[in-house]
Amino acid sequence: MDSGIRITETGTSEVIIKKSRFLGIAANVDSEEEARELLNAIRKEHYSARHVCYAYSIGDNNPALKFSDDGEPGGTAGRPILDVVTNSGVSNIIIIVVRYFGGVLLGTGGLVRAYTESAQEAVKAAEKTTVWVTETFDITLDYGDFERVKSLIKKIEGASLEVAYTDKVVISATVPEKECDRLKREIIEVTAGRAAI
């Protein structure tokens, strides 16, 4: 993974269909244990709900995927929520949908639509940010080369820098891993080899 989108603040939703309330929660989880803990907390908070269905994806390359219909007819809750999870573009995500039954049966199509909508709205409501796999390295250079090198770093999305001024300028650059080799070559080129990386 070079970069990914993560939830920084949990999103919630409420969808009411034929008197049934569907409460969606989309949150960041970094492990299956964390997912279970959140799920248990939601079950405890909504102990009188008829169903607490969920799906999650944890990890980047071969993510751990899991879902549950929690008593709803097979394929009407957990699988639609998992579809939202996998299509969201968000890493390390759990979506939980709590259903308070309103007394009217929705049928399989109605359930799929309700769980999908609730999950989508929760993801939409969540605050998200892009995270990067980065490398940090120091660049020591002359004052005359500073502005050109600083400009190269600032052009890279996800990069940041800290500067220390001594008899030379020392830049501590944090750069997305996929950009490091190219940046280092450009720094050597614009400083005519004077920069020490």
Side-chain angles (χ1 to χ4, degrees):
M1 176 189 100
D2 294 323
S3 66
I5 298 171
R6 297 282 175 93
I7 290 176
T8 55
E9 192 163 317
T10 299
T12 60
S13 66
E14 181 176 6
V15 175
I16 299 174
I17 299 173
K18 294 184 180 176
K19 299 182 183 175
S20 280
R21 278 178 71 214
F22 296 84
L23 305 176
I25 299 111
N28 182 77
V29 286
D30 292 316
S31 67
E32 291 189 69
E33 181 182 335
E34 196 176 323
R36 281 190 299 275
E37 287 172 5
L38 178 60
L39 190 56
N40 289 336
I42 296 296
R43 281 190 174 125
K44 193 177 284 187
E45 181 182 345
H46 296 279
Y47 63 90
S48 61
R50 176 74 62 93
H51 305 282
V52 179
C53 306
Y54 69 91
Y56 63 71
S57 174
I58 300 169
D60 295 307
N61 292 332
N62 281 316
L65 300 172
K66 189 168 184 180
F67 66 91
S68 169
D69 292 316
D70 191 35
E72 291 283 28
T76 62
R79 175 57 71 177
I81 297 169
L82 183 63
D83 289 344
V84 174
V85 164
T86 57
N87 291 321
S88 69
V90 179
S91 301
N92 290 16
I93 179 175
I94 185 169
I95 301 176
I96 303 167
V97 179
V98 177
R99 180 185 182 192
Y100 285 92
F101 184 60
V104 179
L105 296 176
L106 302 181
T108 57
L111 287 172
V112 169
R113 283 189 296 279
Y115 280 102
T116 299
E117 182 182 348
S118 186
Q120 288 171 334
E121 292 301 315
V123 171
K124 199 181 295 180
E127 287 187 28
K128 298 171 271 306
T129 191
T130 302
V131 293
W132 307 88
V133 174
T134 60
E135 181 180 322
T136 301
F137 54 91
D138 290 338
I139 309 152
T140 305
L141 44 96
D142 296 329
Y143 279 84
D145 294 322
F146 173 63
E147 287 301 324
R148 286 190 302 266
V149 171
K150 181 173 100 174
S151 174
L152 288 174
I153 296 167
K154 291 211 172 246
K155 285 182 196 172
I156 299 172
E157 185 181 9
S160 64
L161 59 98
E162 292 180 19
V163 182
Y165 302 96
T166 59
D167 57 324
K168 299 234 180 215
V169 179
V170 179
I171 300 173
S172 180
T174 301
V175 180
E177 205 171 56
K178 67 179 183 176
E179 300 288 346
C180 285
D181 290 341
R182 180 185 60 78
L183 176 63
K184 289 174 183 179
R185 283 192 306 273
E186 289 179 359
I187 290 170
I188 296 300
E189 190 177 303
V190 301
T191 64
R194 292 183 296 274
I197 300 173

